[in-house]
Amino acid sequence: MKNNRLRPVYTIPYAAWIILFVLAPIALIVYYSFFDLTGNFTVENYQNFFSSVYLTLTLSSFWYAFLITFFSLLIAYPTAYLLTKTKHKQLWLLLIIIPSWINLLLKTYAFIGLMGLYGPVNAFLDVIGIGKQQILFTDFSFVFVSVYIFIPFMILPIFNALDKLNPALIDASRDLGANSWTTFRRVIWPLTINGVKSGVQVVFIPALSLFMITRLIAGNKVITLGTAIEQQFLVTQNWGMGSTIAVFLILFMFIIMLVTTAKEKEATNNGKNR
């Protein structure tokens, strides 16, 4: 009884954190989105967002986020599967996760050195006869570096899902005559889909708002919603338009989380019914 009475007290720090560091910043962003450069109240920022420029920017952001998520999943799933088969899987998983502890800016500058015109990658290409190539400031370099950075966050939830998979289900599938592809498609993939969806969430959503990598690796040849927000706040000083883009970015993220979470619950319920 005493613990039940104190339960509302225990939630005060959590509620205060949510209000101060989640709800209040979002409310400020929404508030500033209704002002123009001169500080006058307006809805013109929202009208401008639906112009061809910002719609193209939004589609471009979703396209690059899709590419980053797709290649991360393409590499992470087989990697996570192989990790579950190794003897010291927790150690190998730790070695994969450790690079994510390094500061993002340091890793970005490391890739600038590696992919630069006089870096080791171009030196190798020169040795084998291909010649030096402009690797930096391209779509390829942006997607490559982004995938490298996000892969650990994709591997971890998939690894957890695969590690919890009951091996007896795979053996039963093979005993019933299913080949490796059928076993993967009908048993392994459906039972690990929640891990995949969690990985997609933690990769796709941050990929929509990348801006530092676009600056340093892509040389502003790739413009995302995150880059546009940075330019509006720091370059043009148009806080209203920057806040408007941020409002739509938050809305997109919320919709993605809502859709994937709903599908996760549906998949879980279907699995229980079976």
Side-chain angles (χ1 to χ4, degrees):
M1 293 292 295
K2 189 175 181 180
N3 291 334
N4 291 335
R5 291 175 183 176
L6 292 175
R7 187 172 298 172
V9 178
Y10 297 150
T11 61
I12 291 176
Y14 174 76
W17 178 274
I18 294 296
I19 293 171
L20 291 175
F21 298 106
V22 178
L23 297 180
I26 293 176
L28 282 174
I29 289 172
V30 174
Y31 172 76
Y32 279 114
S33 68
F34 288 102
F35 291 91
D36 59 15
L37 276 169
T38 58
N40 297 319
F41 182 85
T42 181
V43 293
E44 187 178 353
N45 294 327
Y46 286 90
Q47 294 173 351
N48 292 336
F49 184 84
F50 289 99
S51 65
S52 60
V53 175
Y54 288 104
L55 287 179
T56 302
L57 176 64
T58 302
L59 292 175
S60 176
S61 297
F62 271 89
W63 171 245
Y64 283 112
F66 168 77
L67 288 178
I68 293 167
T69 305
F70 174 76
F71 287 115
S72 296
L73 177 60
L74 195 65
I75 299 171
Y77 200 100
T79 302
Y81 182 79
L82 290 175
L83 283 176
T84 60
K85 303 300 180 182
T86 57
K87 185 177 181 181
H88 304 288
K89 54 186 176 183
Q90 298 297 337
L91 175 61
W92 287 109
L93 182 64
L94 179 63
L95 293 176
I96 291 175
I97 295 174
I98 282 176
S100 66
W101 300 350
I102 302 173
N103 184 272
L104 178 60
L105 185 62
L106 293 177
K107 289 190 286 189
T108 304
Y109 274 112
F111 273 104
I112 291 176
L114 289 171
M115 295 181 171
L117 195 59
Y118 300 100
V121 175
N122 264 313
F124 174 75
L125 293 177
D126 198 22
V127 168
I128 63 177
I130 297 177
K132 294 182 178 180
Q133 304 293 322
Q134 181 61 53
I135 303 175
L136 282 176
F137 313 133
T138 60
D139 294 357
F140 166 79
S141 61
F142 169 69
V143 174
F144 181 87
V145 174
S146 300
V147 168
Y148 168 81
I149 290 170
F150 284 121
I151 271 182
F153 304 104
M154 181 70 80
I155 289 177
L156 189 58
I158 296 175
F159 172 84
N160 291 332
L162 286 167
D163 199 39
K164 294 176 183 177
L165 185 63
N166 189 351
L169 297 174
I170 300 175
D171 294 336
S173 174
R174 290 173 179 170
D175 290 341
L176 292 171
N179 56 31
S180 298
W181 170 245
T182 304
T183 301
F184 172 77
R185 184 171 57 88
R186 301 296 296 271
V187 179
I188 299 175
W189 177 261
L191 293 176
T192 58
I193 192 65
N194 285 344
V196 173
K197 291 180 184 297
S198 298
V200 168
Q201 277 188 3
V202 298
V203 172
F204 189 90
I205 292 175
L208 277 176
S209 57
L210 287 173
F211 69 92
M212 183 172 63
I213 298 176
T214 59
R215 288 280 193 185
L216 299 177
I217 299 296
N220 281 340
K221 290 186 178 180
V222 175
I223 305 295
T224 63
L225 290 172
T227 310
I229 293 171
E230 182 202 21
Q231 289 177 345
Q232 292 293 339
F233 273 97
L234 301 181
V235 180
T236 63
Q237 297 292 312
N238 190 348
W239 287 27
M241 193 64 223
S243 298
T244 302
I245 301 171
V247 168
F248 280 100
L249 181 59
I250 293 171
L251 182 62
F252 294 148
M253 292 178 177
F254 178 76
I255 292 172
I256 292 167
M257 291 184 65
L258 192 65
V259 170
T260 53
T261 302
K263 288 183 177 180
E264 283 182 12
K265 291 180 179 178
E266 183 180 348
T268 302
N269 293 332
N270 291 338
K272 290 180 180 179
N273 293 334
R274 289 177 185 176

